[in-house]
Amino acid sequence: MNWKALVTPQNLLIAAAIATLIVLVLIIIVLIKRYTFTKKLIGLKDNPGPMDKEQADYFSKSRLLHRSSLVEKIGIKQGIEILDTCRINQYWLEELKLHKRKSLYDRVLNYYPDKGLFTCFLIALERKEFALRLIQWLDNSGEFLVMRRIALSGVGEEFSGKKALELFKDNLPQIREMTGDPEWASRYFAIKILLYDEQHEQSTRAIWECFSDPHSLIRKTIAREFSGDNREKLYNELYRLFLCDPVQEVRSAAKDRISRDFTDIYNINIDSLKPWEALHALEHLSAFSKADEDTAIRFLDNDNLELRFSAARFLEERGALKRLLLNADMGDRKDLARIENLLTKSCEVHISAFLENAAKSSNPGTLLIGVNILAKTGDVSLIQPICSRILSLPQDSVENKLLFDKALVCIKKRGTEKSLVFLKDMLIKNKYNREYAEKILNSLPPQSAPLLMGTLLDLFCDSKFLARDELRSALVRFPSYMYIQKILSIIKSGRGQYAHIMRMDALKILVELKQSFCLQTILENLPILPLEEARKVAILLVEFNKKDFFQLSERLLESNDSALRASLISCMPAVDGQVFLKYIKEALNDADPEVRISAVWALVDFKEKKTISQAISMLRDPVERVRTEVAKSIAEIGSESALEELKNILNDKNEVQSVKLPAIKGLSASSSLLSIDILCDLLVHSDEYDKEAIWALSAKTLKNEMSCMVEKFKDGTPGLRDKLTTVFSKMKETGETVLVELLKEDITALKPFICLVLENTGYIESQIRFLKHRDPAIRRKAASELSYIGTESAFRGIVLAARDSDEEVRIAVTKALEKLNKPDGTRILKSLQEDPDKKVRKYTSWALNRLSSINMES
């Protein structure tokens, strides 16, 4: 293309014309827009008040700022209220804060001083050229209290009082007057400046008076910045603000100032403060001070909950509560209780975050405190983690068993669903561990029923499960509708479907539920229970429905079922069923042996002595267990004549053994001392029944019975003595304890024989061995009891303890030897001094010398 051909004068003129046209069009557009803008802006004057949405959108911030000069001119010409209406004053102030331009500064001063003057003042403090413009504006304002106008245009913004003093040093009299202004902003402005006026006493006086200013910002400012000449007075004012000022920021400023400038004289006894003062002091404890931590710990036990809360917050932030918990020593129970008390107090005011550390700890003391606290208070969500940790511990120590019990208590009192699920899993896992299962079942709370019912019924139907008493108790605590149908089905099932123990437990539960609609079912199934338990059941049944119980019993006693009749007969004495006495007496001749036995013992319980005594013929019953029970009943309640009948049976050479053996068992159960005479006579006159008679006598361990046997031993033949020694030996510790008690009663006639019995049974030798036991308490007891025995062999053992490390043992030895230092003890004493054992001779001599020195001193 030939460009040169196109560039002709004619074409250039056309192009210039087009460009000129475009410029004219643009100018026209600008003028139209300016006209439109001006017209709309002036239009705001006719509609004062907030702009509507359309106007607000049109007069946007960017559009107004772009035409700031035009808006200013229109405002001057039409009225400056337009500047407020279109909000350009506000935009100028916002821009001034961001871009410190002189044009903006002047516009804010001239048109928006009530809101922007303080901003202009702050800028003036930083830049001298603006300071000159501000001073000039202030001079031209002609206002009498121009300083006050600056102050009131602010809202308590921070500024440099020192720089402000330099700027307004010629206005100090006016500024001092402002300290009495009713407006706090005016007083604040004045105080900020006067704080740095060190040349005029009036300024300092005004500041002292403002320590009690009504506005907190002024008090805070003075506390933070004032440096008066009177140091002691300043400290006292700061101390007062720190303890008594109701505003937190003022107290903080005062405390910070004291910590910075007055550590040499700061002294506070927090225990002597009033509650509100103590609360303020606790808020400002130092996180780096061990003394402050100790102070907070003291207040943690305070009855004032606000003080306790403040102390707990401080200790929590410092980590002290966590340290107390984690360092708890299970071995120091006193300190453990102290720590638990303190931490519980903290939880009571909802400071409990430290408990989160308990579940992560392996320290037994920490776990114990954590679970004890959670049983009473604290975040329940922590129960599951800490209790699961404890319940998973092996039960191989006293500490772990204690923790286990405490964890169960915690779950029972406040356990969440998670903790109950864990407990259920633990029960299933340890169902054959009886100790575990018993503890868990005893701790199940009622609210766990829906979650655990299925598991409990499964355990109920498990014949290998041993914690059955606790399982029954747990079920009874739960709503009966959840399991009564299952219980009834077990009771009414055939013998082979459920184990007998399950049927027994089911019947016991039904009884404990005390439902009147189950009475007949219970009575008809009473034979499921042993007789003794059936009696207990009958008592419960009568308590809640006596009339129906007796009516049903009367009908059932006429039934053919012997087991049911035997069970009901055995229950009658327990429920005052004398109305059935005639039936019970007739039952002595019943065809079933169990019925006969039940009738015999029912008569015993009814104290029918005459009937029982007359039942001597039943000793020849064809069933051995009937003969045995009859003999026992005769011996227990029968008269002396009845016991003589038993004696005659034993002495009758023609009587068969099957009758004599029950008679001996009956005499064993008798509480009459005549039974001892009869059994001892049997031992004297015959060897045939020694085994049975010795067994029968060994069951008689009451003091009067033992005393009677010692009498028999005293007066008996050598053969009887040997047999009675065997009796005493079979009694073991129970008999020896009673013999020692008899010995301490100092019955002269019996004492030597009791000692002889104890020597023959090996009791003295065992006590001598105890003199070497590592436990001092056991050594003391042995020395004391050997001194009561007082035989030669006993004293031979005693002197060996003469140099025992325990003082009380040595005292017991001395007291024992005092008994020998009398005429009746000469023989034993001489024997000990001439004992073949050199050690015995040596210790005897040493003990006697010690005894002599004690006597001389006394």
Side-chain angles (χ1 to χ4, degrees):
M1 181 179 291
N2 188 355
W3 292 100
K4 290 182 179 182
L6 293 174
V7 182
T8 63
Q10 186 179 3
N11 289 342
L12 289 175
L13 287 173
I14 293 171
I18 293 172
T20 301
L21 183 61
I22 291 171
V23 171
L24 287 173
V25 171
L26 290 174
I27 291 172
I28 292 170
I29 292 172
V30 169
L31 290 174
I32 292 172
K33 286 184 176 182
R34 181 183 177 94
Y35 172 78
T36 303
F37 178 86
T38 302
K39 185 176 180 180
K40 286 187 176 186
L41 186 61
I42 293 172
L44 294 177
K45 181 180 178 182
D46 299 328
N47 298 292
M51 295 185 292
D52 57 28
K53 186 178 184 308
E54 182 181 351
Q55 292 172 326
D57 290 340
Y58 181 79
F59 292 110
S60 64
K61 181 178 179 180
S62 59
R63 177 172 285 171
L64 287 169
L65 290 176
H66 183 67
R67 292 176 170 80
S68 289
S69 297
L70 176 60
V71 174
E72 182 180 5
K73 290 178 182 179
I74 295 172
I76 293 171
K77 186 175 180 180
Q78 299 293 331
I80 60 171
E81 62 274 6
I82 290 178
L83 304 181
D84 280 329
T85 303
C86 70
R87 297 183 299 186
I88 196 170
N89 280 339
Q90 179 183 334
Y91 299 148
W92 282 337
L93 180 58
E94 292 173 1
E95 284 295 299
L96 177 62
K97 291 176 180 178
L98 297 174
H99 311 289
K100 298 175 178 57
R101 295 197 295 266
K102 292 178 181 179
S103 59
L104 289 170
Y105 192 86
D106 291 340
R107 284 169 178 154
V108 170
L109 279 178
N110 291 328
Y111 307 116
Y112 204 44
D114 290 339
K115 297 290 185 180
L117 187 55
F118 201 86
T119 300
C120 294
F121 160 69
L122 293 177
I123 294 172
L125 295 182
E126 299 299 325
R127 297 173 62 170
K128 187 175 290 185
E129 66 272 24
F130 287 97
L132 294 174
R133 300 176 95 87
L134 177 63
I135 295 297
Q136 185 180 359
W137 183 88
L138 292 173
D139 290 342
N140 295 334
S141 68
E143 291 191 38
F144 176 65
L145 295 176
V146 69
M147 292 294 104
R148 186 174 188 272
R149 188 175 185 188
I150 296 175
L152 295 180
S153 66
V155 288
E157 294 95 333
E158 176 64 29
F159 66 92
S160 171
K162 187 175 182 180
K163 291 181 178 180
L165 178 63
E166 294 176 5
L167 187 62
F168 300 134
K169 57 186 176 182
D170 296 333
N171 301 87
L172 279 176
Q174 183 185 148
I175 292 173
R176 277 195 290 270
E177 286 182 23
M178 291 166 61
T179 58
D181 197 291
E183 295 289 345
W184 70 266
S186 180
R187 300 197 304 276
Y188 168 71
F189 182 83
I191 285 298
K192 281 287 287 183
I193 296 172
L194 296 178
L195 282 169
Y196 297 92
D197 180 18
E198 298 176 356
Q199 296 181 1
H200 300 89
E201 178 62 29
Q202 302 96 312
S203 298
T204 304
R205 181 177 178 178
I207 294 170
W208 283 114
E209 291 172 354
C210 285
F211 263 105
S212 298
D213 192 275
H215 201 276
S216 59
L217 182 58
I218 296 171
R219 301 194 302 275
K220 172 186 174 182
T221 302
I222 295 174
R224 191 171 56 187
E225 301 183 37
F226 183 44
S227 300
D229 293 335
N230 191 334
R231 191 167 184 265
E232 182 179 354
K233 182 179 179 181
L234 178 57
Y235 169 75
N236 290 334
E237 288 292 342
L238 292 171
Y239 188 81
R240 180 183 62 80
L241 291 178
F242 163 49
L243 291 181
C244 302
D245 200 281
V247 180
Q248 166 72 25
E249 62 176 349
V250 176
R251 298 194 300 272
S252 295
K255 181 59 168 62
D256 291 344
R257 182 69 185 283
I258 290 172
S259 299
R260 187 177 75 239
D261 297 335
F262 296 92
T263 54
D264 56 326
I265 58 174
Y266 175 65
N267 183 30
I268 184 171
N269 180 7
I270 201 167
D271 294 324
S272 66
L273 302 179
K274 296 179 179 65
W276 58 88
E277 294 174 334
L279 182 63
H280 294 161
L282 285 171
E283 289 175 347
H284 296 90
L285 295 177
S286 171
F288 305 100
S289 170
K290 181 63 172 65
D292 281 359
E293 181 179 311
D294 294 339
T295 297
I297 288 175
R298 290 203 307 277
F299 275 90
L300 200 57
D301 199 19
N302 200 288
D303 291 335
N304 185 310
L305 296 182
E306 274 200 278
L307 291 175
R308 191 194 304 176
F309 177 68
S310 185
R313 283 187 61 199
F314 169 77
L315 292 169
E316 176 79 351
E317 292 170 0
R318 181 179 164 86
L321 298 180
K322 175 182 176 182
R323 275 187 278 108
L324 277 174
L325 177 65
L326 295 180
N327 295 333
D329 182 5
M330 190 79 152
D332 189 344
R333 290 306 174 91
K334 185 176 180 180
D335 190 55
L336 204 68
R338 180 187 71 87
I339 294 172
E340 182 179 327
N341 175 61
L342 291 173
L343 297 181
T344 301
K345 297 287 188 182
S346 176
C347 289
E348 287 173 357
V349 289
H350 309 300
I351 303 296
S352 60
F354 60 87
L355 283 175
E356 296 174 5
N357 300 279
K360 305 171 187 175
S361 174
S362 58
N363 177 11
T366 300
L367 293 171
L368 180 62
I369 289 175
V371 78
N372 280 348
I373 291 175
L374 287 170
K376 298 173 284 189
T377 184
D379 184 357
V380 293
S381 67
L382 298 174
I383 291 176
Q384 189 274 329
I386 188 172
C387 287
S388 62
R389 183 172 184 82
I390 291 173
L391 296 178
S392 300
L393 294 173
Q395 298 295 285
D396 55 0
S397 68
V398 175
E399 288 181 349
N400 285 1
K401 289 181 178 180
L402 174 63
L403 286 170
F404 190 96
D405 294 342
K406 295 293 186 180
L408 292 179
V409 169
C410 180
I411 292 174
K412 184 174 183 179
K413 288 184 175 180
R414 303 181 72 231
T416 60
E417 184 175 346
K418 281 188 177 181
S419 58
L420 292 172
V421 169
F422 180 82
L423 200 61
K424 181 185 76 170
D425 294 341
M426 285 291 294
L427 179 59
I428 295 171
K429 181 180 177 181
N430 298 281
K431 61 182 178 180
Y432 298 132
N433 184 322
R434 185 165 188 166
E435 183 180 4
Y436 265 65
E438 286 177 352
K439 289 182 176 181
I440 292 174
L441 288 169
N442 286 332
S443 70
L444 298 180
Q447 66 268 25
S448 65
L451 178 66
L452 291 167
M453 185 52 63
T455 299
L456 296 184
L457 291 177
D458 288 344
L459 294 175
F460 192 86
C461 296
D462 186 345
S463 59
K464 296 179 182 178
F465 185 73
L466 299 178
R468 305 202 69 85
D469 290 345
E470 290 72 22
L471 178 55
R472 290 199 313 274
S473 297
L475 284 170
V476 171
R477 292 198 302 273
F478 294 158
S480 59
Y481 72 84
M482 301 180 77
Y483 58 85
I484 193 169
Q485 292 298 331
K486 181 67 175 179
I487 294 300
L488 286 169
S489 68
I490 292 173
I491 292 172
K492 295 181 178 181
S493 65
R495 298 189 181 190
Q497 189 172 351
Y498 292 99
H500 185 69
I501 192 171
M502 296 177 203
R503 300 181 72 212
M504 287 174 58
D505 285 342
L507 190 62
K508 291 176 184 177
I509 288 176
L510 204 60
V511 172
E512 290 185 59
L513 292 178
K514 296 183 179 181
Q515 300 291 343
S516 58
F517 56 80
C518 295
L519 180 60
Q520 183 169 329
T521 300
I522 295 171
L523 285 177
E524 289 178 348
N525 290 279
L526 207 56
I528 292 175
L529 301 174
L531 292 181
E532 188 58 40
E533 292 193 24
R535 292 189 190 101
K536 295 177 182 178
V537 165
I539 293 172
L540 293 174
L541 294 175
V542 169
E543 283 179 0
F544 73 84
N545 199 332
K546 183 175 182 178
K547 180 181 177 181
D548 288 352
F549 176 86
F550 275 18
Q551 287 180 350
L552 283 169
S553 295
E554 184 177 7
R555 182 177 63 80
L556 294 173
L557 282 170
E558 298 294 337
S559 70
N560 294 326
D561 192 88
S562 58
L564 177 56
R565 286 186 285 115
S567 185
L568 282 172
I569 288 171
S570 69
C571 294
M572 290 308 155
V575 296
D576 298 326
Q578 286 93 343
V579 294
F580 297 103
L581 262 176
K582 181 181 177 182
Y583 181 90
I584 294 171
K585 290 177 181 179
E586 292 174 354
L588 291 174
N589 299 313
D590 196 275
D592 189 274
E594 295 303 328
V595 175
R596 298 199 296 277
I597 291 172
S598 294
V600 167
W601 282 112
L603 292 170
V604 170
D605 290 338
F606 278 125
K607 302 191 185 307
E608 289 287 315
K609 291 186 178 182
K610 184 177 180 181
T611 306
I612 292 296
S613 298
Q614 291 173 353
I616 197 80
S617 61
M618 292 182 70
L619 287 173
R620 293 173 179 81
D621 193 279
V623 179
E624 181 182 356
R625 65 180 182 278
V626 176
R627 298 195 299 271
T628 299
E629 295 301 320
V630 169
K632 286 181 181 179
S633 67
I634 291 173
E636 181 169 322
I637 200 172
S639 61
E640 289 192 7
S641 61
L643 292 177
E644 288 293 340
E645 286 289 336
L646 292 178
K647 180 179 179 181
N648 293 335
I649 288 172
L650 292 175
N651 293 333
D652 187 349
K653 294 181 180 180
N654 297 319
E655 190 61 79
V656 294
Q657 187 184 52
S658 60
V659 175
K660 288 186 176 183
L661 291 179
I664 293 172
K665 291 179 180 179
L667 290 168
S668 173
S670 175
S671 59
S672 172
L673 296 181
L674 179 58
S675 64
I676 295 176
D677 292 338
I678 296 171
L679 290 169
C680 286
D681 286 345
L682 183 63
L683 290 174
V684 170
H685 296 108
S686 171
D687 295 333
E688 184 179 359
Y689 295 103
D690 280 0
K691 179 180 178 182
E692 291 77 13
I694 288 171
W695 171 85
L697 286 169
S698 67
K700 298 179 179 295
T701 56
L702 297 177
K703 188 178 288 187
N704 64 331
E705 294 172 334
M706 296 285 287
S707 180
C708 180
M709 280 188 276
V710 173
E711 287 278 2
K712 292 289 182 183
F713 182 88
K714 175 172 74 74
D715 300 328
T717 63
L720 178 60
R721 285 189 175 188
D722 288 343
K723 291 178 181 180
L724 286 176
T725 298
T726 304
V727 170
F728 292 129
S729 297
K730 284 187 175 298
M731 292 177 179
K732 298 183 179 179
E733 290 84 359
T734 303
E736 290 172 344
T737 301
V738 176
L739 286 172
V740 172
E741 289 178 6
L742 285 171
L743 194 63
K744 292 177 181 178
E745 291 180 3
D746 205 18
I747 305 172
T748 306
L750 295 182
K751 184 173 180 180
F753 299 98
I754 295 174
C755 292
L756 183 58
V757 169
L758 291 172
E759 193 162 347
N760 290 340
T761 61
Y763 177 77
I764 294 176
E765 291 179 4
S766 69
Q767 294 305 306
I768 291 173
R769 287 194 295 273
F770 282 140
L771 290 172
K772 298 178 182 179
H773 199 278
R774 66 177 182 275
D775 187 346
I778 293 177
R779 300 202 303 274
R780 292 171 204 153
K781 183 175 181 293
S784 175
E785 299 205 348
L786 286 171
S787 70
Y788 278 115
I789 295 171
T791 63
E792 183 176 334
S793 59
F795 275 107
R796 193 171 186 273
I798 288 174
V799 296
L800 295 176
R803 290 192 175 182
D804 193 278
S805 60
D806 185 74
E807 183 180 5
E808 290 189 34
V809 175
R810 297 196 300 273
I811 291 172
V813 173
T814 304
K815 287 182 178 180
L817 290 176
E818 283 178 347
K819 297 178 182 178
L820 296 182
N821 207 12
K822 296 175 183 177
D824 57 348
T826 304
R827 183 188 62 80
I828 296 177
L829 191 59
K830 184 177 180 181
S831 174
L832 292 172
Q833 290 173 323
E834 297 175 357
D835 194 275
D837 190 330
K838 182 179 178 181
K839 187 175 182 181
V840 173
R841 297 196 303 273
K842 179 180 177 182
Y843 276 38
T844 302
S845 176
W846 183 87
L848 288 173
N849 289 334
R850 184 173 183 273
L851 180 61
S852 298
S853 64
I854 292 173
N855 291 335
M856 289 178 65
E857 289 175 3
S858 60

